[in-house]
Amino acid sequence: MTSERKEGVNTSEEDAKLKEFTWEEIKEHNKEQDLWVVLYNRVYDLTQFQIDHPGGPDVLQDIAAQDGTEEFENILHTEKA
C-alpha cells in the first residue's frame, strides 16, 4: 500500500528528520545578510529570497528572527507560497 503525499504538506516522518533550533539561535539571524523567519513552527533561511519576494525585502526584514506565521496568513498566501 502506498500513501499519497499532498504537495506542499509535510508528513510527520519528514518533520522528525528536521533539525531543531532554539529561539536563542533563531534570534541571531535577524540581519539583511542573514535572515531567518519561522512559519508554522519551521525555520526558513530567507536571506537569498529577499530580493525575489513579491512584497519586497522590507516585509521579510520586519519579521526577521521572529514567528511570521500570523503575518503570512494575514496576506492570504496560498499553500504553495
Side-chain angles (χ1 to χ4, degrees), residues 27 29-32 35-37 46 50 53 55-68 71:
K27 295 276 184 206
H29 302 273
N30 62 354
K31 299 169 191 63
E32 182 178 342
L35 191 151
W36 289 9
V37 174
L46 300 180
Q50 292 176 77
H53 185 263
D58 293 345
V59 174
L60 298 177
Q61 292 165 9
D62 287 346
I63 58 169
Q66 299 175 51
D67 186 336
E71 288 84 352

Side-chain angles (χ1 to χ4, degrees), residues 7-63:
E7 186 177 345
V9 177
N10 294 304
T11 65
S12 56
E13 291 83 17
E14 290 171 318
D15 286 346
K17 296 176 188 176
L18 295 175
K19 178 173 174 28
E20 291 188 22
F21 296 95
T22 65
W23 276 107
E24 185 175 291
E25 292 173 293
I26 293 166
K27 295 276 184 206
E28 295 175 9
H29 302 273
N30 62 354
K31 299 169 191 63
E32 182 178 342
Q33 306 83 359
D34 182 20
L35 191 151
W36 289 9
V37 174
V38 176
L39 297 172
Y40 301 102
N41 297 315
R42 289 174 172 257
V43 179
Y44 294 91
D45 180 348
L46 300 180
T47 307
Q48 298 300 316
F49 178 66
Q50 292 176 77
I51 201 72
D52 295 323
H53 185 263
D58 293 345
V59 174
L60 298 177
Q61 292 165 9
D62 287 346
I63 58 169

Side-chain angles (χ1 to χ4, degrees), residues 62-77:
D62 287 346
I63 58 169
Q66 299 175 51
D67 186 336
T69 304
E70 185 175 339
E71 288 84 352
F72 185 84
E73 288 180 344
N74 287 342
I75 300 302
L76 303 174
H77 284 94

